Amino acid sequence: DLSGLSNGFEMDSLFILAEHYFPYSDSVVKMAPGITDLVAVYQENRGLTVGELREKLLEQLVRIELPFSLFTPAECAEIVMLELGQDEAGLAQLYEKAEKRFRKRYGQSLKGSRSR
């Protein structure tokens, strides 16, 4: 849910897709509420602290190799934690940081995209 990939994703379409990545409040790249709920149940059933859950998430996230991702594995783990805590201000800050990195890296590919 957090990669920014979609069915039929192509880097040539990035400038179109980028319109829907940021800011957090308008993003289509968010955790599905059902997934957030399942993570909360997992944490409770396993008796994990916040730190232990973050560590388990990061252990799994670093194993995933994708052709494109908006967020680092550490950011993905943090997004999960912020979603669990319903911290929209924290999520907005994290998405803003990722957007700056994204625009710096792909800025030339985003002609026609809104500028910030």
Side-chain angles (χ1 to χ4, degrees):
D1 289 345
L2 298 175
S3 68
L5 295 172
S6 57
N7 290 337
F9 177 87
E10 293 183 24
M11 288 301 289
D12 291 343
S13 301
L14 191 60
F15 77 96
I16 296 168
L17 298 169
E19 291 291 322
H20 306 287
Y21 291 159
F22 307 104
Y24 170 77
S25 59
D26 298 330
S27 183
V28 297
V29 183
K30 293 181 180 179
M31 284 183 59
I35 300 297
T36 305
D37 294 343
L38 288 172
V39 173
V41 168
Y42 173 82
Q43 180 183 15
E44 184 177 327
N45 288 345
R46 299 288 179 152
L48 300 173
T49 66
V50 169
E52 291 168 334
L53 178 61
R54 181 182 283 114
E55 187 177 312
K56 285 201 171 286
L57 288 167
L58 193 52
E59 284 174 8
Q60 295 303 312
L61 290 165
V62 297
R63 294 179 181 181
I64 299 171
E65 293 185 30
L66 299 171
F68 173 82
S69 185
L70 292 173
F71 303 103
T72 67
E75 288 171 337
C76 288
E78 188 61 22
I79 288 169
V80 173
M81 305 314 296
L82 292 168
E83 288 286 2
L84 287 170
Q86 299 177 347
D87 184 349
E88 289 194 25
L91 287 159
Q93 284 182 326
L94 196 150
Y95 274 63
E96 185 176 318
K97 176 184 168 187
E99 180 179 16
K100 287 177 184 175
R101 181 181 59 241
F102 173 82
R103 292 201 177 277
K104 184 176 181 181
R105 180 166 184 191
Y106 298 105
Q108 294 300 320
S109 302
L110 301 178
K111 293 178 183 171
S113 177
R114 70 185 169 103
S115 58
R116 282 191 157 239

